Amino acid sequence: MTGGSIAVRRLSQQVRLLSSSRPSMVSPFSTRLIGSPNTLEHRVFIEHNGSVVSSFHDVPLFADQSSGILNMIVEVPRWTNAKMEISKEEAFNPIKQDIKKGRLRFVRNCFPHHGYIWNYGAFPQTWEDPAALHPETKAKGDNDPLDVCEIGEQVGYVGQVKQVKVLGIMALLDEGETDWKVIVVDVHDPLASKLNDIEDVERHLPGLIRATNEWFRIYKIPDGKGENAFAFSGEAKNKKYATEIIHECNEAWRRLITGESPAKTPTYEIAIRNLSNSISPGFVTRSDVTYANLPADSRQPPAPIDPSISKWFYISSVQV
């Protein structure tokens, strides 16, 4: 055997050794895609070990509670415009594109922003209770899972389950409802070790909090609506405050999934079918007909988007 081939063999052995000793990064979560993106029929189900689970109720909030690591579900990848969101009304809560007046909803580009400026999504197993008036915002919850802005450098994908740590929170007042926006970072991001609270964001990512405030204030203006308002004069609250809100919304979800809070009222109906909470009125097994009849993966290429979605809107006199 030549010296060169011996070196190659040793290098291959070292690579195999390093590969076998490195912690597995393979996620147990995957996605089941139905139809073409940018269509009314498109759905993204989340799977755990190859089986569909509820993105709202079955994906655990905590990936590692002792270390403060949470799971977030990416609904809208950074720099995209399609307003994807977890469907509260459909069984097992797939992600679908929001619809307004029978048309797919896209967020407009307000200069200098293009699409969403973070990976936008939600915390599973949280709920902003529309019957609960927050004592500081003086507004009730918006009846959705808790919204999350992930500020790491990697662009996510719809249905991705990211492990994140909490940095802070902002309180948007959207049409009279409290709409919390939690600021987080992917634990695998290169800056994650340096980002531990909200003041670290300005130190290492200067301008991002200000841009986030501006984005939420103005994003509905191109659709003919006014500026959104913030509680706390637009201030981003710290990690401790954010963590308290997350626990409050997790407790509100617990009341929802166990039937203590109604899933159906005259104004809304939430699908609470799940596979993981045996005391829930919505608990089912995989033999349940609603589960057995879930569609198989039928992913298709994206449908074309109207070119007008790429237009930039220039907003004047924005107060930030």
Side-chain angles (χ1 to χ4, degrees), residues 34 65 96 115 127 156 161 163 181 197 264 276 318:
I34 311 302
Q65 189 166 4
K96 67 173 186 178
W127 183 49
V161 180
Q163 284 68 57
K181 308 296 181 184
D197 215 321
K264 183 177 181 179
S276 57
V318 175

Side-chain angles (χ1 to χ4, degrees), residues 50-77:
S51 297
V52 167
V53 294
S54 164
S55 57
F56 193 172
H57 308 303
D58 289 323
V59 178
L61 172 60
F62 294 101
D64 184 348
Q65 189 166 4
S66 63
S67 299
I69 300 174
L70 283 67
N71 288 315
M72 79 161 282
I73 297 170
V74 177
E75 296 168 310
V76 187

